CSV table of all heavy atoms in Angstrom, one decimal:
chain,number,residue,atom,x,y,z
I,1,PRO,N,-110.2,-35.8,89.4
I,1,PRO,CA,-109.2,-34.9,90.0
I,1,PRO,C,-108.5,-34.0,89.0
I,1,PRO,O,-108.2,-32.8,89.4
I,1,PRO,CB,-108.2,-35.9,90.6
I,1,PRO,CG,-109.0,-37.1,90.9
I,1,PRO,CD,-109.9,-37.2,89.8
I,2,PHE,N,-108.3,-34.4,87.8
I,2,PHE,CA,-107.6,-33.5,86.8
I,2,PHE,C,-108.5,-32.4,86.4
I,2,PHE,O,-108.1,-31.3,86.2
I,2,PHE,CB,-107.1,-34.3,85.6
I,2,PHE,CG,-106.3,-33.4,84.7
I,2,PHE,CD1,-105.2,-32.7,85.1
I,2,PHE,CD2,-106.8,-33.2,83.4
I,2,PHE,CE1,-104.4,-31.9,84.2
I,2,PHE,CE2,-106.1,-32.4,82.5
I,2,PHE,CZ,-104.9,-31.7,82.9
I,3,ALA,N,-109.8,-32.7,86.3
I,3,ALA,CA,-110.8,-31.6,86.0
I,3,ALA,C,-110.7,-30.5,87.1
I,3,ALA,O,-110.8,-29.3,86.8
I,3,ALA,CB,-112.2,-32.1,85.8
I,4,ALA,N,-110.7,-31.0,88.3
I,4,ALA,CA,-110.6,-30.0,89.4
I,4,ALA,C,-109.3,-29.2,89.4
I,4,ALA,O,-109.2,-28.0,89.7
I,4,ALA,CB,-110.7,-30.8,90.8
I,5,HIS,N,-108.2,-29.9,89.0
I,5,HIS,CA,-106.9,-29.3,88.8
I,5,HIS,C,-107.0,-28.2,87.8
I,5,HIS,O,-106.5,-27.0,87.9
I,5,HIS,CB,-105.8,-30.3,88.4
I,5,HIS,CG,-104.5,-29.7,88.2
I,5,HIS,ND1,-103.6,-29.2,89.2
I,5,HIS,CD2,-103.8,-29.4,87.0
I,5,HIS,CE1,-102.5,-28.7,88.6
I,5,HIS,NE2,-102.6,-28.8,87.3
I,6,LEU,N,-107.6,-28.5,86.6
I,6,LEU,CA,-107.8,-27.5,85.6
I,6,LEU,C,-108.6,-26.3,86.1
I,6,LEU,O,-108.2,-25.1,85.7
I,6,LEU,CB,-108.5,-28.1,84.4
I,6,LEU,CG,-107.6,-29.1,83.6
I,6,LEU,CD1,-108.5,-29.8,82.5
I,6,LEU,CD2,-106.4,-28.5,82.9
I,7,ARG,N,-109.6,-26.5,86.9
I,7,ARG,CA,-110.4,-25.4,87.4
I,7,ARG,C,-109.5,-24.5,88.3
I,7,ARG,O,-109.6,-23.3,88.2
I,7,ARG,CB,-111.6,-25.9,88.1
I,7,ARG,CG,-112.7,-26.5,87.2
I,7,ARG,CD,-114.0,-26.8,87.9
I,7,ARG,NE,-113.9,-27.7,89.0
I,7,ARG,CZ,-114.1,-29.1,88.8
I,7,ARG,NH1,-114.4,-29.5,87.6
I,7,ARG,NH2,-114.0,-29.9,89.8
I,8,ARG,N,-108.7,-25.2,89.2
I,8,ARG,CA,-107.9,-24.4,90.1
I,8,ARG,C,-106.8,-23.6,89.3
I,8,ARG,O,-106.5,-22.5,89.6
I,8,ARG,CB,-107.2,-25.3,91.1
I,8,ARG,CG,-108.1,-25.9,92.1
I,8,ARG,CD,-107.4,-26.6,93.2
I,8,ARG,NE,-106.6,-27.7,92.7
I,8,ARG,CZ,-107.0,-29.0,92.6
I,8,ARG,NH1,-108.3,-29.2,93.0
I,8,ARG,NH2,-106.2,-29.9,92.2
I,9,ALA,N,-106.3,-24.2,88.3
I,9,ALA,CA,-105.2,-23.6,87.5
I,9,ALA,C,-105.8,-22.3,86.8
I,9,ALA,O,-105.2,-21.3,86.7
I,9,ALA,CB,-104.6,-24.5,86.5
I,10,ALA,N,-107.0,-22.5,86.3
I,10,ALA,CA,-107.7,-21.4,85.6
I,10,ALA,C,-108.0,-20.2,86.6
I,10,ALA,O,-107.8,-19.0,86.3
I,10,ALA,CB,-109.0,-21.8,84.9
I,11,GLU,N,-108.4,-20.6,87.8
I,11,GLU,CA,-108.7,-19.6,88.8
I,11,GLU,C,-107.4,-18.8,89.2
I,11,GLU,O,-107.4,-17.6,89.4
I,11,GLU,CB,-109.3,-20.2,90.0
I,11,GLU,CG,-110.8,-20.8,89.8
I,11,GLU,CD,-111.2,-21.6,90.9
I,11,GLU,OE1,-110.5,-21.8,91.9
I,11,GLU,OE2,-112.4,-22.2,90.8
I,12,THR,N,-106.3,-19.6,89.3
I,12,THR,CA,-105.1,-18.9,89.6
I,12,THR,C,-104.6,-18.0,88.5
I,12,THR,O,-104.2,-16.9,88.8
I,12,THR,CB,-104.0,-20.0,89.8
I,12,THR,OG1,-104.4,-20.9,90.9
I,12,THR,CG2,-102.6,-19.4,90.2
I,13,GLU,N,-104.8,-18.4,87.3
I,13,GLU,CA,-104.4,-17.5,86.2
I,13,GLU,C,-105.3,-16.2,86.1
I,13,GLU,O,-104.8,-15.1,85.9
I,13,GLU,CB,-104.5,-18.3,84.9
I,13,GLU,CG,-104.0,-17.5,83.6
I,13,GLU,CD,-102.5,-17.2,83.6
I,13,GLU,OE1,-101.8,-17.8,84.4
I,13,GLU,OE2,-102.1,-16.4,82.8
I,14,ARG,N,-106.6,-16.4,86.4
I,14,ARG,CA,-107.5,-15.3,86.4
I,14,ARG,C,-107.1,-14.3,87.5
I,14,ARG,O,-107.2,-13.1,87.4
I,14,ARG,CB,-108.9,-15.7,86.6
I,14,ARG,CG,-109.5,-16.3,85.3
I,14,ARG,CD,-111.1,-16.4,85.4
I,14,ARG,NE,-111.5,-17.4,86.4
I,14,ARG,CZ,-111.7,-18.6,86.2
I,14,ARG,NH1,-111.5,-19.1,85.0
I,14,ARG,NH2,-112.0,-19.4,87.2
I,15,ALA,N,-106.7,-14.8,88.6
I,15,ALA,CA,-106.3,-14.0,89.8
I,15,ALA,C,-105.0,-13.2,89.5
I,15,ALA,O,-104.8,-12.1,90.1
I,15,ALA,CB,-106.1,-14.8,91.0
I,16,GLY,N,-104.2,-13.7,88.6
I,16,GLY,CA,-103.0,-13.0,88.3
I,16,GLY,C,-102.2,-13.8,87.2
I,16,GLY,O,-101.8,-14.9,87.5
I,17,ALA,N,-102.1,-13.2,86.0
I,17,ALA,CA,-101.5,-13.9,84.9
I,17,ALA,C,-100.0,-14.2,85.2
I,17,ALA,O,-99.3,-13.4,85.8
I,17,ALA,CB,-101.6,-13.1,83.6
I,18,GLN,N,-99.5,-15.4,84.8
I,18,GLN,CA,-98.1,-15.7,85.0
I,18,GLN,C,-97.2,-14.7,84.2
I,18,GLN,O,-97.5,-14.4,83.1
I,18,GLN,CB,-97.9,-17.1,84.6
I,18,GLN,CG,-96.4,-17.6,84.9
I,18,GLN,CD,-96.3,-19.1,84.7
I,18,GLN,OE1,-97.2,-19.7,84.1
I,18,GLN,NE2,-95.1,-19.6,85.0
I,19,VAL,N,-96.2,-14.2,84.9
I,19,VAL,CA,-95.3,-13.3,84.3
I,19,VAL,C,-94.5,-14.0,83.2
I,19,VAL,O,-93.9,-15.0,83.4
I,19,VAL,CB,-94.3,-12.7,85.3
I,19,VAL,CG1,-93.3,-11.8,84.7
I,19,VAL,CG2,-95.1,-12.0,86.4
I,20,LEU,N,-94.5,-13.4,82.0
I,20,LEU,CA,-93.8,-13.9,80.9
I,20,LEU,C,-92.3,-13.6,81.0
I,20,LEU,O,-91.9,-12.6,81.5
I,20,LEU,CB,-94.3,-13.3,79.6
I,20,LEU,CG,-95.7,-13.6,79.2
I,20,LEU,CD1,-96.1,-12.8,77.9
I,20,LEU,CD2,-96.0,-15.1,79.0
I,21,TRP,N,-91.4,-14.6,80.6
I,21,TRP,CA,-90.0,-14.4,80.7
I,21,TRP,C,-89.5,-13.3,79.8
I,21,TRP,O,-90.0,-13.1,78.7
I,21,TRP,CB,-89.3,-15.7,80.3
I,21,TRP,CG,-87.8,-15.6,80.4
I,21,TRP,CD1,-87.0,-15.8,81.5
I,21,TRP,CD2,-86.9,-15.1,79.3
I,21,TRP,NE1,-85.7,-15.6,81.2
I,21,TRP,CE2,-85.6,-15.1,79.9
I,21,TRP,CE3,-87.1,-14.7,78.0
I,21,TRP,CZ2,-84.5,-14.7,79.1
I,21,TRP,CZ3,-86.0,-14.3,77.3
I,21,TRP,CH2,-84.7,-14.3,77.8
I,22,THR,N,-88.6,-12.5,80.4
I,22,THR,CA,-87.9,-11.4,79.6
I,22,THR,C,-86.4,-11.6,79.9
I,22,THR,O,-86.1,-12.1,80.9
I,22,THR,CB,-88.4,-10.0,79.9
I,22,THR,OG1,-88.0,-9.7,81.3
I,22,THR,CG2,-89.9,-9.9,79.8
I,23,PRO,N,-85.6,-11.0,79.1
I,23,PRO,CA,-84.1,-11.0,79.4
I,23,PRO,C,-83.8,-10.5,80.8
I,23,PRO,O,-82.8,-10.9,81.4
I,23,PRO,CB,-83.5,-10.2,78.3
I,23,PRO,CG,-84.5,-10.4,77.1
I,23,PRO,CD,-85.8,-10.4,77.8
I,24,ASP,N,-84.6,-9.6,81.3
I,24,ASP,CA,-84.4,-9.0,82.6
I,24,ASP,C,-84.4,-10.1,83.7
I,24,ASP,O,-83.8,-9.9,84.8
I,24,ASP,CB,-85.4,-7.9,82.9
I,24,ASP,CG,-85.1,-6.7,82.1
I,24,ASP,OD1,-84.0,-6.5,81.5
I,24,ASP,OD2,-86.1,-5.9,81.9
I,25,HIS,N,-85.1,-11.2,83.5
I,25,HIS,CA,-85.2,-12.3,84.5
I,25,HIS,C,-83.9,-13.1,84.5
I,25,HIS,O,-83.7,-13.8,85.5
I,25,HIS,CB,-86.3,-13.2,84.1
I,25,HIS,CG,-87.7,-12.6,84.3
I,25,HIS,ND1,-88.6,-12.3,83.3
I,25,HIS,CD2,-88.4,-12.3,85.5
I,25,HIS,CE1,-89.7,-11.8,83.8
I,25,HIS,NE2,-89.6,-11.8,85.1
I,26,GLY,N,-83.0,-13.0,83.5
I,26,GLY,CA,-81.8,-13.8,83.5
I,26,GLY,C,-82.2,-15.2,83.1
I,26,GLY,O,-83.3,-15.5,82.7
I,27,PRO,N,-81.2,-16.1,83.1
I,27,PRO,CA,-81.4,-17.5,82.6
I,27,PRO,C,-82.5,-18.2,83.4
I,27,PRO,O,-82.5,-18.0,84.7
I,27,PRO,CB,-80.1,-18.1,82.7
I,27,PRO,CG,-79.1,-17.0,82.8
I,27,PRO,CD,-79.8,-15.9,83.4
I,28,LEU,N,-83.3,-19.0,82.8
I,28,LEU,CA,-84.2,-19.8,83.5
I,28,LEU,C,-83.4,-21.0,84.2
I,28,LEU,O,-82.3,-21.3,83.6
I,28,LEU,CB,-85.2,-20.4,82.6
I,28,LEU,CG,-86.4,-19.5,82.1
I,28,LEU,CD1,-87.2,-20.1,81.0
I,28,LEU,CD2,-87.3,-19.1,83.3
I,29,PRO,N,-83.8,-21.6,85.2
I,29,PRO,CA,-83.1,-22.8,85.8
I,29,PRO,C,-83.4,-23.9,84.9
I,29,PRO,O,-84.3,-23.9,84.0
I,29,PRO,CB,-83.8,-23.0,87.1
I,29,PRO,CG,-85.2,-22.4,87.0
I,29,PRO,CD,-85.0,-21.2,86.0
I,30,SER,N,-82.6,-25.0,85.0
I,30,SER,CA,-82.8,-26.3,84.4
I,30,SER,C,-83.5,-27.2,85.4
I,30,SER,O,-83.2,-27.0,86.6
I,30,SER,CB,-81.6,-26.9,83.8
I,30,SER,OG,-80.6,-27.0,84.9
I,31,LEU,N,-84.4,-28.0,85.0
I,31,LEU,CA,-85.2,-28.8,85.9
I,31,LEU,C,-85.0,-30.3,85.7
I,31,LEU,O,-84.8,-30.8,84.6
I,31,LEU,CB,-86.7,-28.5,85.6
I,31,LEU,CG,-87.4,-27.3,86.3
I,31,LEU,CD1,-86.6,-26.0,86.0
I,31,LEU,CD2,-88.8,-27.2,85.7
I,32,TYR,N,-85.0,-31.0,86.8
I,32,TYR,CA,-85.2,-32.5,86.7
I,32,TYR,C,-86.5,-32.8,87.5
I,32,TYR,O,-86.7,-32.4,88.6
I,32,TYR,CB,-84.1,-33.2,87.4
I,32,TYR,CG,-84.3,-34.7,87.6
I,32,TYR,CD1,-84.1,-35.6,86.5
I,32,TYR,CD2,-84.8,-35.3,88.7
I,32,TYR,CE1,-84.4,-36.9,86.6
I,32,TYR,CE2,-85.1,-36.6,88.9
I,32,TYR,CZ,-84.9,-37.5,87.8
I,32,TYR,OH,-85.2,-38.8,87.9
I,33,LEU,N,-87.4,-33.5,86.8
I,33,LEU,CA,-88.7,-33.8,87.4
I,33,LEU,C,-89.0,-35.3,87.3
I,33,LEU,O,-88.6,-35.9,86.3
I,33,LEU,CB,-89.8,-32.9,86.9
I,33,LEU,CG,-90.1,-33.0,85.4
I,33,LEU,CD1,-91.1,-34.1,85.0
I,33,LEU,CD2,-90.8,-31.7,85.0
I,34,SER,N,-89.6,-35.8,88.4
I,34,SER,CA,-90.2,-37.1,88.3
I,34,SER,C,-91.6,-37.0,87.8
I,34,SER,O,-92.4,-36.3,88.3
I,34,SER,CB,-90.2,-37.7,89.8
I,34,SER,OG,-88.9,-37.9,90.3
I,35,HIS,N,-91.8,-37.7,86.7
I,35,HIS,CA,-93.0,-37.4,85.9
I,35,HIS,C,-94.2,-38.3,86.1
I,35,HIS,O,-95.3,-38.0,85.7
I,35,HIS,CB,-92.7,-37.4,84.4
I,35,HIS,CG,-92.2,-38.8,83.9
I,35,HIS,ND1,-91.0,-38.9,83.3
I,35,HIS,CD2,-92.8,-40.0,83.8
I,35,HIS,CE1,-90.8,-40.2,82.9
I,35,HIS,NE2,-91.9,-40.9,83.2
I,36,GLY,N,-94.0,-39.5,86.8
I,36,GLY,CA,-95.2,-40.3,87.0
I,36,GLY,C,-95.7,-40.9,85.7
I,36,GLY,O,-95.1,-40.9,84.7
I,37,ALA,N,-96.9,-41.4,85.8
I,37,ALA,CA,-97.6,-42.0,84.6
I,37,ALA,C,-99.0,-41.3,84.6
I,37,ALA,O,-99.3,-40.4,85.3
I,37,ALA,CB,-97.7,-43.5,84.9
I,38,PRO,N,-99.9,-41.8,83.7
I,38,PRO,CA,-101.2,-41.2,83.7
I,38,PRO,C,-101.9,-41.2,85.0
I,38,PRO,O,-102.8,-40.3,85.2
I,38,PRO,CB,-102.0,-42.1,82.7
I,38,PRO,CG,-100.9,-42.5,81.7
I,38,PRO,CD,-99.7,-42.8,82.6
I,39,MET,N,-101.6,-42.1,85.9
I,39,MET,CA,-102.2,-42.0,87.3
I,39,MET,C,-101.8,-40.7,88.0
I,39,MET,O,-102.5,-40.3,89.0
I,39,MET,CB,-101.8,-43.2,88.1
I,39,MET,CG,-100.3,-43.3,88.5
I,39,MET,SD,-99.9,-44.7,89.5
I,39,MET,CE,-100.1,-46.0,88.3
I,40,LEU,N,-100.8,-40.0,87.5
I,40,LEU,CA,-100.5,-38.7,88.1
I,40,LEU,C,-101.7,-37.7,88.0
I,40,LEU,O,-101.9,-36.9,88.9
I,40,LEU,CB,-99.3,-38.1,87.4
I,40,LEU,CG,-98.8,-36.7,87.8
I,40,LEU,CD1,-98.6,-36.6,89.3
I,40,LEU,CD2,-97.5,-36.4,87.0
I,41,PHE,N,-102.5,-37.9,87.0
I,41,PHE,CA,-103.7,-37.1,86.8
I,41,PHE,C,-104.7,-37.3,87.9
I,41,PHE,O,-105.7,-36.6,87.9
I,41,PHE,CB,-104.3,-37.3,85.4
I,41,PHE,CG,-103.5,-36.8,84.3
I,41,PHE,CD1,-103.0,-37.7,83.3
I,41,PHE,CD2,-103.3,-35.4,84.1
I,41,PHE,CE1,-102.3,-37.2,82.2
I,41,PHE,CE2,-102.5,-35.0,83.1
I,41,PHE,CZ,-102.0,-35.8,82.1
I,42,GLU,N,-104.5,-38.3,88.7
I,42,GLU,CA,-105.4,-38.6,89.8
I,42,GLU,C,-104.8,-38.2,91.2
I,42,GLU,O,-105.5,-38.5,92.2
I,42,GLU,CB,-105.8,-40.1,89.8
I,42,GLU,CG,-106.5,-40.5,88.5
I,42,GLU,CD,-106.6,-42.0,88.3
I,42,GLU,OE1,-106.5,-42.7,89.3
I,42,GLU,OE2,-106.9,-42.4,87.2
């Protein structure tokens, strides 16, 4: 499943590169994330 995720991520990036942060964007948010364990890769 993680290999498939990497392929999808690469396809998404090829379709349109992620916009790089600039000061015009203002402050980034702060995040709290539930991170799982290696099984998250599945």
Side-chain angles (χ1 to χ4, degrees):
F2 184 61
H5 176 77
L6 290 173
R7 291 192 294 270
R8 289 191 299 272
E11 291 168 2
T12 300
E13 184 68 12
R14 284 193 295 270
Q18 186 171 6
V19 176
L20 297 175
W21 180 89
T22 69
D24 290 340
H25 289 110
L28 286 170
S30 55
L31 276 52
Y32 172 80
L33 58 84
S34 295
H35 63 240
M39 66 180 68
L40 178 52
F41 290 117
E42 301 171 14

